[in-house]
Amino acid sequence: MNAESNAIVPIGGAIRTPSEFRHHILSVLVENKTGVLARVAQLFSRRGYNIFSLAVAPTDDERFSRITVVVDVDTAPLEQITKQLHKLVNVIKISEIDPDEAIEYELLLATVAADAATRAQVIELVNLFEGRIVDVGSTKLTVMVAASPSHLDDFEALIVEYGLVELQRTGRVALQKLGKPTTRRKQMKGKVS
Amino acid sequence: MKLTGAQALIKSLEMQGVEVVFGLPGGAILPVYDPLLDSSIRHILVRHEQGAGHAAEGYAQATGRPGVAIVTSGPAATNIVTPLADAYMDSIPLVVITGQVATSTIGTDAFQEADTTGITMSITKHNWLITDANDIPRVVREAFHVATTGRPGPVLIDLPKDVSNASMEWYWPRQVSLPGYKPTTKGHPKMVKEAARMIAAAEKPIFYVGGGVLRAQGSDVLASLVELTQIPAVTTLMGRGALPDSHPLCLGMPGMHGNYAAVTSMQKSDLLIVLGARFDDRVTGKVDAFAPFAKVVHIDVDPAELGKIRHADVPIVGDVRSVMEDLLVELEAIRGSFQDISLWRKEIRSWQDNFPYTYDRTHEGPPLKPQYVIERLRDLNTEDTIVVSGVGQHQMWASQYWRFEKPNIWINSGGLGTMGFAVPAAIGAKVGRPDRTVWVIDGDGCFQMTAQELVTATTERVPIKVAILNNAYLGMVRQWQEMFYDERYSEVYLSPDLPDYVKWAEAMGCVGLRVVHPSEVDAAIEKANSITDRPVVIDFRTDTHEKVFPMVPSGKSNDEIVLGEEGL
Ligand SMILES: Cc1ncc(C[n+]2csc(CCOP(=O)(O)OP(=O)(O)O)c2C)c(N)n1
Ligand SMILES: [Mg+2]
């Protein structure tokens, strides 16, 4: 065995998904100023709330950023969390997104062992998850998959079999599902029955 | 007009109407201290930055205006962390300005660099690190706005030295624009109506009055509410004086060392009308067993307090004064339908009569009974006297035995319980209210933490008066060791005469007196009251064995209140 293959460390299968415990998604619009992320993060730790994942990026309006936080609501009632967040002067708006009502996406990057024997299988798996090969080495591939967090968990559980060198996930971003014209659906129901 | 950042800071403080600042200079804040020489603002030079912070707190509580402190970077900034945490807990409007190393050296572990905004993030309402001198007037304006509106609290401005030295074009912002900060002041009319309906229908209602009523300057409206409804009120440690103690419906202090009537009326109540209070654990005891039959109307300016500890059946976010005014109107309209609660009042009255605060009045002494000393201090001073206390047994006795007839005359560290608070806070109070007599009721332990500020008091001609209830012990801790640790006293003995408090007082330019025998108490107090040109310290030798009662043991239900030695 060469040194390179020694570096291949399976990371131990899929991480616990937030769907297994009661989680909530907060989409927090904040002023795009230095230190705002620290304020939000410190508030969570100071009040004893667990953050499951967190993603931050500027919005289309450069004055604001959006922080998407997935919180473990067993650590504190959601209402307390949002009220405390609201007390931060830089927090403009907080939207709670019910996981059942959310479009949730997350990005995964992984470098996978893929020699001549397994390369085709890895590529097939990535294709099945509508991912892409983003870098190619002689014995490894780096792949990218953007999907719902639970799909990513599935992908991770499968890809780990080939030998993971490294894996990184971004934490999810989420938007509210668009309202469907409920009246029409009712009408359709009516026709069927 | 071109100004330096430092000049702009001082000018901004003047624009905010600041009359006095408490502080101590050093390297990073040097530029700010230069224009201060030409300013109308009075600077009080403290001997430790903690003193500056507590003095600003005392000033704020005595005047209702924000207290301001200016200190340098690094160790000075960390020295003022305790007052910030204290002010955050007790909702005291404070603006603290710290020097910072030059922006080019931030992050390099420069001399006297500390991450001040990082350290103080969770103990300020908000803080700012200014990196551009042009931001100074805007930030100062925002800082005072945030400190004084909504739920008041401390804010901090960190000012790097190069920014103080930089040049800027002076302006004064006409308004504050903080898109994420819009405190609700007006209560929801529907909720207020619902609250009125519940108050009218309740059979065993109680007003649970906290420090928020004082912060909102709502004492007069509270009195009207109590008059109209004839509902008794408890005033918490932070709310003492919000309703005069002589008012027949004022029950005084609830909680761990509250009186039986105040504690029990809450336990038996069917409706708690919570006004600017926050269900502190020292009030509730074991939360699950607190006021088990009560519905809750909770009025607070901070939405996060509603439902934080106890579910509110009617939560009302708003300025307590404004909501009380609206409530008064609603209640006036339905006064004909008020439930007759005279039996409830009678029941409470009997608890008051049967279980008042007591101590052994027959005891001849020496040593002095601490409660007796406080009663004499109370009776030999006017109702206007401002009382400032430390933290411990003496604080509880002061709250129990003083008679607070007016708002904002009782200043103490409630939420954080900061030993060493009293002397500097009293200096701030006296600076803010030179017309008032200011008495400190301190413990020997507390006094030793910040006594050096008496040098400040002497130098700056701030003639406060200090009564040390010298029981030679960290008495409150001793009490717990006696009651809950089998009298195994561990590291609580202080000695009655080391230090020699009289000599120490004299060394600091104060008059020092010692009282050993009860017969000397009055004369010493009268002598202290007659001295108005310098601080006075009286070393009262009090009984080590005296304990604070009643007591609800920590973590126990308020129903398990222990009235005295016999109840143990
Ligand atoms: C800064 C700080 N350290 C420790 C404590 C814990 N503590 C609470 S009361 C007390 C004793 C105070 O002693 P003293 O000032 O003599 O007052 P007494 O209880 O004897 O009246 C102590 C140590 C505290 N509240 N604050
Ligand atoms: Mg003591």
Side-chain angles (χ1 to χ4, degrees):
Chain A
M1 277 265 194
N2 58 26
E4 212 183 357
S5 60
N6 269 344
I8 299 175
V9 185
I11 63 158
I15 48 174
R16 192 165 77 111
T17 74
S19 50
E20 287 170 20
F21 64 93
R22 297 203 311 127
H23 77 285
H24 237 281
I25 308 158
L26 294 179
S27 175
V28 187
L29 189 67
V30 297
E31 286 186 275
N32 188 2
K33 289 187 172 166
T34 41
V36 175
L37 177 60
R39 287 177 202 280
V40 171
Q42 206 200 35
L43 185 136
F44 275 84
S45 87
R46 141 101 173 82
R47 298 269 172 197
Y49 314 147
N50 286 346
I51 297 180
F52 182 80
S53 78
L54 186 137
V56 201
T59 62
D60 49 340
D61 183 337
E62 61 176 22
R63 289 172 302 162
F64 306 113
S65 293
R66 187 173 294 285
I67 301 180
T68 308
V69 208
V70 179
V71 290
D72 177 349
V73 287
D74 287 337
T75 58
L78 189 68
E79 189 187 316
Q80 227 344 264
I81 298 178
T82 58
K83 281 172 164 179
Q84 294 292 354
L85 271 174
H86 260 304
K87 284 168 69 169
L88 296 179
V89 168
N90 299 126
V91 169
I92 309 286
K93 191 171 169 230
I94 302 169
S95 322
E96 302 167 19
I97 304 176
D98 183 336
D100 297 335
E101 292 294 320
I103 307 287
E104 295 179 65
Y105 264 83
E106 187 175 356
L107 185 76
L108 174 152
L109 277 180
T111 298
V112 192
D115 55 20
T118 57
R119 180 167 297 214
Q121 291 166 31
V122 170
I123 293 172
E124 193 190 338
L125 187 61
V126 171
N127 283 338
L128 277 172
F129 279 85
E130 298 181 349
R132 270 167 41 200
I133 310 297
V134 288
D135 199 11
V136 182
S138 55
T139 58
K140 287 179 275 189
L141 292 173
T142 295
V143 306
M144 182 270 281
V145 183
S148 74
S150 59
H151 269 104
L152 289 188
D153 291 344
D154 294 346
F155 177 75
E156 216 182 303
L158 294 166
I159 200 78
V160 79
E161 301 291 320
Y162 296 94
L164 273 177
V165 180
E166 227 176 325
L167 181 138
Q168 196 117 65
R169 288 170 65 158
T170 57
R172 73 194 69 192
V173 290
L175 285 176
Q176 190 88 38
K177 276 184 192 164
L178 299 177
K180 300 292 181 290
T182 45
T183 44
R184 187 161 353 127
R185 228 190 301 170
K186 265 188 204 144
Q187 277 175 0
M188 280 166 56
K189 248 191 199 164
K191 269 183 196 162
V192 175
S193 59
Chain B
M1 182 179 40
K2 285 274 182 211
L3 294 184
T4 65
Q7 289 168 333
L9 176 74
I10 297 299
K11 198 169 168 58
S12 300
L13 295 179
E14 288 169 357
M15 294 298 284
Q16 286 291 344
V18 174
E19 288 167 353
V20 57
V21 300
F22 304 88
L24 194 150
I29 200 75
L30 262 169
V32 170
Y33 270 76
D34 186 71
L36 195 56
L37 278 176
D38 307 320
S39 170
S40 61
I41 296 173
R42 178 179 181 193
H43 181 273
I44 305 255
L45 177 63
V46 295
R47 296 312 191 254
H48 185 296
E49 289 86 356
Q50 184 185 357
H54 290 322
E57 287 185 88
Y59 176 89
Q61 289 192 78
T63 63
R65 296 196 295 273
V68 184
I70 303 181
V71 301
T72 191
S73 64
T78 53
N79 273 350
I80 209 160
V81 163
T82 299
L84 283 170
D86 192 89
Y88 191 66
M89 280 287 217
D90 287 347
S91 310
I92 299 167
L94 221 58
V95 178
V96 170
I97 293 151
T98 48
Q100 182 55 279
V101 299
T103 45
S104 57
T105 60
I106 288 180
T108 66
D109 304 314
F111 178 62
Q112 295 196 325
E113 180 183 0
D115 173 17
T116 305
T117 48
I119 290 169
T120 60
M121 208 173 262
S122 64
I123 48 170
T124 50
K125 257 185 101 173
H126 193 61
N127 59 24
W128 292 259
L129 170 66
I130 301 187
T131 53
D132 181 344
N134 290 298
D135 291 341
I136 290 172
R138 174 180 61 77
V139 169
V140 170
R141 186 90 215 260
E142 289 175 358
F144 277 82
H145 179 70
V146 171
T148 54
T149 54
R151 178 177 181 170
V155 298
L156 179 138
I157 300 172
D158 203 20
L159 189 62
K161 191 168 187 178
D162 57 322
V163 179
S164 294
N165 284 328
S167 160
M168 57 86 68
E169 180 65 33
W170 170 256
Y171 67 98
W172 184 244
R174 240 175 298 145
Q175 60 201 32
V176 176
S177 160
L178 289 168
Y181 180 77
K182 303 224 158 45
T184 307
T185 52
K186 189 94 181 119
H188 195 292
K190 251 202 198 134
M191 291 295 200
V192 175
K193 239 193 176 72
E194 177 61 14
R197 199 193 56 71
M198 280 174 71
I199 292 169
E203 290 174 1
K204 299 184 169 187
I206 287 287
F207 284 114
Y208 164 15
V209 178
V213 172
L214 296 170
R215 297 285 177 274
Q217 289 165 16
S219 298
D220 53 335
V221 190
L222 172 65
S224 309
L225 266 182
V226 171
E227 274 315 308
L228 174 69
T229 58
Q230 292 294 304
I231 294 172
V234 303
T235 48
T236 67
L237 183 67
M238 293 309 295
R240 304 284 292 120
L243 188 69
D245 277 332
S246 61
H247 193 291
L249 292 170
C250 184
L251 306 181
M253 183 168 74
M256 182 176 272
H257 292 296
N259 67 76
Y260 183 85
V263 171
T264 308
S265 60
M266 290 173 106
Q267 288 305 99
K268 309 264 189 238
S269 165
D270 70 347
L271 179 68
L272 292 179
I273 309 143
V274 190
L275 306 172
R278 59 180 177 85
F279 294 94
D280 184 273
D281 54 84
R282 285 300 187 265
V283 167
T284 61
K286 191 172 167 222
V287 177
D288 303 336
F290 175 66
F293 315 111
K295 287 215 151 73
V296 171
V297 170
H298 195 168
I299 302 169
D300 203 288
V301 72
D302 180 358
E305 288 304 338
L306 308 179
K308 185 182 80 177
I309 305 288
R310 171 80 177 240
H311 170 75
D313 300 278
V314 182
I316 307 179
V317 182
D319 174 75
V320 180
R321 183 188 171 89
S322 152
V323 177
M324 285 195 299
E325 280 169 349
D326 295 347
L327 194 55
L328 199 56
V329 173
E330 290 298 333
L331 284 165
E332 290 275 9
I334 55 170
R335 63 185 307 171
S337 68
F338 286 180
Q339 191 55 248
D340 176 11
I341 58 166
S342 52
L343 276 178
W344 171 234
R345 278 194 302 270
K346 206 179 252 168
E347 193 176 7
I348 292 173
R349 164 65 52 194
S350 76
W351 295 330
Q352 284 182 293
D353 294 343
N354 290 328
F355 309 106
Y357 295 122
T358 52
Y359 67 94
D360 181 6
R361 286 171 203 274
T362 61
H363 161 91
E364 280 178 3
L368 305 165
K369 285 289 175 191
Q371 300 95 329
Y372 174 74
V373 176
I374 292 169
E375 285 180 330
R376 293 316 297 153
L377 279 164
R378 175 194 71 197
D379 293 342
L380 295 171
N381 280 285
T382 64
E383 284 178 356
D384 277 342
T385 305
I386 293 175
V387 186
V388 187
S389 92
V391 171
Q393 293 181 310
H394 61 281
Q395 173 190 31
M396 293 298 111
W397 287 317
S399 174
Q400 290 177 342
Y401 285 88
W402 202 273
R403 203 160 32 192
F404 298 104
E405 292 297 286
K406 298 191 174 174
N408 307 320
I409 57 168
W410 165 240
I411 297 174
N412 83 131
S413 166
L416 199 65
T418 309
M419 287 175 70
F421 172 83
V423 167
I427 293 172
K430 180 72 180 168
V431 166
R433 295 302 307 259
D435 54 319
R436 298 284 184 89
T437 302
V438 177
W439 266 102
V440 170
I441 296 178
D442 217 357
D444 44 335
C446 290
F447 183 78
Q448 291 188 57
M449 287 207 177
T450 51
Q452 81 281 1
E453 295 309 337
L454 282 169
V455 179
T456 306
T458 303
T459 321
E460 299 279 348
R461 305 212 172 280
V462 187
I464 60 168
K465 303 173 201 308
V466 182
I468 304 172
L469 301 189
N470 178 4
N471 56 3
Y473 272 91
L474 298 169
M476 187 56 97
V477 184
R478 185 188 192 282
Q479 173 166 347
W480 284 53
Q481 290 179 350
E482 182 180 335
M483 292 173 69
F484 310 120
Y485 291 87
D486 291 334
E487 299 178 42
R488 282 164 54 85
Y489 299 115
S490 175
E491 304 298 326
V492 285
Y493 179 65
L494 296 176
S495 154
D497 26 42
L498 190 69
D500 182 325
Y501 294 101
V502 173
K503 281 192 189 153
W504 192 6
E506 285 166 1
M508 294 188 287
C510 313
V511 173
L513 305 169
R514 176 165 298 125
V515 176
V516 176
H517 199 276
S519 64
E520 305 158 358
V521 171
D522 283 17
I525 295 170
E526 272 158 4
K527 172 147 193 219
N529 279 339
S530 71
I531 297 167
T532 52
D533 62 342
R534 70 192 67 190
V536 185
V537 176
I538 310 182
D539 172 16
F540 287 104
R541 295 298 173 90
T542 58
D543 188 354
T544 291
H545 301 284
E546 195 61 30
K547 290 195 284 296
V548 185
F549 287 112
M551 178 169 192
V552 178
S554 179
K556 290 270 165 67
S557 156
N558 280 352
D559 292 328
E560 298 176 55
I561 184 168
V562 179
L563 289 172
E565 210 82 51
E566 325 71 61
L568 289 174

